[in-house]
Amino acid sequence: MTSTGGSSVLLLILLVLPLVGALVVAPMTGNPRGAKVTAMIFAVASLVLTAIAWLSYSPAAAERGMRFQLELSVPWIPAFGTSFALGIDGIALVMLALIAVLIPIVMGFSWNQEIPEGRTESGFFALLLTTQGLLVGVFAATDVFLFYVFFEAMLIPMYFLIGRFGGPRRQYAAVKFFLYSLLGGLIMLASVIGLYVVSGTALGEATFSWAELQSIAATLPESTQIWLFLGFFVAFAIKAPLVPFHTWLPDAGAEAPIGAGVLLVGVLDKVGTFGFLRYCLPLFPLASQRLAPFVLTLAVIGILYAALVAVAQADLKRFVSYTSIAHFGFIALGIFAFSSQAFAGAALYMVNHGITTGMLFIGIGFLITRGGSRLIGDYGGVHKLAPLLAGTFLLAGLASLALPGTNSFVSEFLVLIGSFPREPVFTILATVGIIFAALYVLWVYQQTMQGPVRGAAVLGALERAGGPGTMIAPEAAAKKGGFPDLSGREIAVLTPLIVLIIALGFFPGPVLDVINPSVVATMNEVGLPDPVGGPR
């Protein structure tokens, strides 16, 4: 075993701990409260260890050229040149932090959720922990074959979260999600094998080591790079998702239970954009530059198309899914504009989108819990009955449209200001999407939260509280539990997200300081001059 310091086992513990937790929690079928408490203990322990990893990471060392830190490498299949190799750069670290923050929040939201008949709380929480562990493997792997294994394995717990605990069309959504992702993974496998073969020719010994593969990237013929790039790109474009590979997400997002939806849209999809930064650009620099106009075209189409379709949605969860597709277009724009400001903005956007969309999804979950419907038309005037719920929903919406002072503004601004010098036309077209974002967010808020108390879900809840045919005032019925405001537990669930939205809106520096050295390294690996320089 080789390593880079005494703390190198930290990543291995971060990977294994949630998986061990899942094994402990899964059999606790007869003790649902114990299962939930145990799962939360493992989630909080992972959060603490992630904080230790954050403090152990040295941006100064990254600036001096240390590409990965906290590395650990154990021979795995020597005959194939594979190792169980883990390591993180700044971009992977912030993604690990996002996972560690969201998992306890998701568990807190799901504490009292209704479980479908024949399912158990222990099974649900065990699947959440399994998803967490496999995602850590995805972001921390520094062996390309190991990355592929985790990339495919993470589909399994999410498939069961959707298919066993989701909505009425959960089986259809789960199978569609799995087939799309599996197809992308199989295409990527062909490129992984191709990369292994060409490395043998270039190095004399075939390897899956990311560092060794990156060292030969510039020597590969452009035509070879293009074919290999496309295999990785299709898998990541499906995962991201970019238009036209996006159609699985609205179905999966709509049918997934809220907690799984937060992870699906907030973290799991970031594997695609992370893959662009970690694999497509550094390993295939010539192909990335040649095919950048094609990717940018897809990104801008996604921004505009998804924004327009979001306005037309009647389902709240499908609405959030389409807004996410639009946001992923901005991230792809920042990545393939090839400037350090845009790179940094895209990486920060990945974190901020997870926070913002997580809060938006959870707010919708609280709304559905009270009204029993996910249709926009079944709500109205909620601010009169649940002002705290309406206020937090508004904050999440304003962050989603990148209002100055919220976390998303910084990342979106960096993407646009970094992209414009190199890709002015695409940047201008993408900016139109900001106008559409304001339109769809404020429209949904006005429909559900403003105006008189109305809608089948709201009125039905009030009638159940006041009795059939009653003329009791909505405010009085709400006090009887018809449509209550946020409880203490629900406020506790939302508070960390609110703090992060505001804190990162005004003080993004600590996160950017971690991201920037990895951004500079990626720029050097691509081999293009930086038109604007890095963010300050």
Side-chain angles (χ1 to χ4, degrees):
M1 180 175 73
T2 60
S3 65
T4 58
S7 59
S8 61
V9 297
L10 186 56
L11 292 180
L12 181 63
I13 296 172
L14 275 174
L15 190 159
V16 172
L17 184 64
L19 300 178
V20 172
L23 293 175
V24 173
V25 169
M28 301 174 67
T29 55
N31 184 9
R33 178 172 177 80
K36 291 184 283 190
V37 170
T38 303
M40 183 63 81
I41 290 172
F42 276 95
V44 172
S46 295
L47 178 59
V48 172
L49 288 174
T50 304
I52 294 173
W54 186 284
L55 295 175
S56 301
Y57 185 83
S58 172
E63 289 176 355
R64 293 193 299 268
M66 183 179 289
R67 191 62 174 87
F68 298 110
Q69 298 183 37
L70 305 180
E71 289 188 271
L72 178 146
S73 182
V74 179
W76 183 21
I77 312 175
F80 294 160
T82 63
S83 299
F84 194 90
L86 304 176
I88 54 171
D89 62 1
I91 299 171
L93 178 59
V94 296
M95 294 310 302
L96 295 185
L98 177 63
I99 299 167
V101 168
L102 287 181
I103 288 291
I105 291 172
V106 165
M107 289 182 177
F109 169 84
S110 307
W111 204 261
N112 294 326
Q113 75 170 358
E114 293 186 11
I115 299 294
E117 186 177 355
R119 312 293 187 250
T120 63
E121 286 88 347
S122 62
F124 181 82
F125 280 76
L127 287 170
L128 291 180
L129 288 171
T130 304
T131 303
Q132 179 181 11
L134 295 177
L135 282 170
V136 169
V138 168
F139 292 117
T142 56
D143 180 278
V144 177
F145 186 76
L146 180 65
F147 167 81
Y148 171 77
V149 171
F150 282 121
F151 182 88
E152 293 289 67
M154 71 180 180
L155 304 178
I156 299 171
M158 186 56 65
Y159 168 81
F160 285 111
L161 282 169
I162 299 171
R164 292 176 64 84
F165 298 92
R169 302 179 72 240
R170 56 182 178 266
Q171 291 296 334
Y172 168 79
V175 170
K176 188 173 183 180
F177 157 77
F178 191 85
L179 290 179
Y180 266 68
S181 299
L182 182 63
L183 174 62
L186 291 175
I187 294 173
M188 183 172 72
L189 178 60
S191 283
V192 169
I193 295 172
L195 195 57
Y196 177 78
V197 172
V198 299
S199 72
T201 302
L203 296 171
E205 183 178 0
T207 182
F208 286 109
S209 167
W210 185 95
E212 294 184 33
L213 291 171
Q214 202 287 314
S215 69
I216 65 169
T219 66
L220 297 180
E222 183 176 310
S223 59
T224 301
Q225 287 194 34
I226 288 175
W227 283 109
L228 296 176
F229 171 93
L230 287 173
F232 280 87
F233 173 78
V234 170
F236 297 146
I238 291 174
K239 189 66 66 185
L242 292 181
V243 174
F245 307 101
H246 69 288
T247 58
W248 64 268
L249 181 59
D251 291 314
E255 300 304 326
I258 293 294
V262 171
L263 296 181
L264 178 67
V265 181
V267 181
L268 198 103
D269 290 355
K270 305 302 187 305
V271 173
T273 49
F274 175 82
F276 292 152
L277 284 167
R278 171 63 65 82
Y279 295 94
C280 286
L281 271 60
L283 298 186
F284 315 110
L286 297 178
S288 299
Q289 296 170 41
R290 176 59 62 92
L291 297 177
F294 166 71
V295 182
L296 292 170
T297 300
L298 296 183
V300 171
I301 291 174
I303 293 170
L304 301 178
Y305 165 79
L308 290 173
V309 175
V311 177
Q313 294 306 301
D315 186 307
L316 284 163
K317 294 169 74 176
R318 292 181 71 90
F319 161 76
V320 175
S321 297
Y322 276 107
T323 65
S324 295
I325 293 170
H327 290 308
F328 279 112
F330 279 103
I331 298 173
L333 170 65
I335 293 172
F336 283 90
F338 299 115
S339 82
S340 59
Q341 277 189 333
F343 274 8
L348 184 61
Y349 211 135
M350 289 160 61
V351 178
N352 287 333
H353 176 264
I355 295 168
T356 301
T357 303
M359 184 169 172
L360 197 59
F361 236 114
I362 288 172
I364 287 172
F366 289 146
L367 199 62
I368 295 172
T369 299
R370 287 155 172 77
S373 172
R374 64 193 202 200
L375 297 180
I376 296 172
D378 285 345
Y379 297 91
V382 170
H383 78 289
K384 294 182 178 179
L385 308 174
L388 286 177
L389 175 56
T392 54
F393 189 88
L394 177 61
L395 176 61
L398 294 177
S400 181
L401 63 84
L403 185 77
T406 63
N407 58 335
S408 297
F409 172 75
V410 180
S411 45
E412 194 165 283
F413 182 75
L414 284 174
V415 166
L416 294 176
I417 199 173
S419 301
F420 184 79
R422 198 180 290 278
E423 300 291 349
V425 174
F426 287 114
T427 306
I428 292 170
L429 291 173
T431 305
V432 178
I434 299 175
I435 301 172
F436 291 152
L439 174 64
Y440 60 64
V441 168
L442 295 177
W443 176 79
V444 169
Y445 178 79
Q446 190 275 332
Q447 289 294 305
T448 57
M449 303 294 170
Q450 295 296 301
V453 176
R454 64 184 185 275
V458 177
L459 296 178
L462 296 179
E463 184 176 352
R464 288 191 294 274
T470 183
M471 296 300 292
I472 188 171
E475 291 80 2
K479 291 180 180 179
K480 291 186 176 184
F483 207 95
D485 209 346
L486 296 177
S487 66
R489 176 183 63 85
E490 292 169 339
I491 293 173
V493 167
L494 290 173
T495 297
L497 298 174
I498 294 172
V499 170
L500 287 171
I501 285 174
I502 296 173
L504 292 177
F506 288 95
F507 306 105
V511 179
L512 286 172
D513 289 342
V514 171
I515 290 173
N516 282 336
S518 300
V519 165
V520 173
T522 305
M523 281 294 301
N524 293 334
E525 288 154 2
V526 174
L528 282 176
D530 189 350
V532 290
R536 300 186 183 275

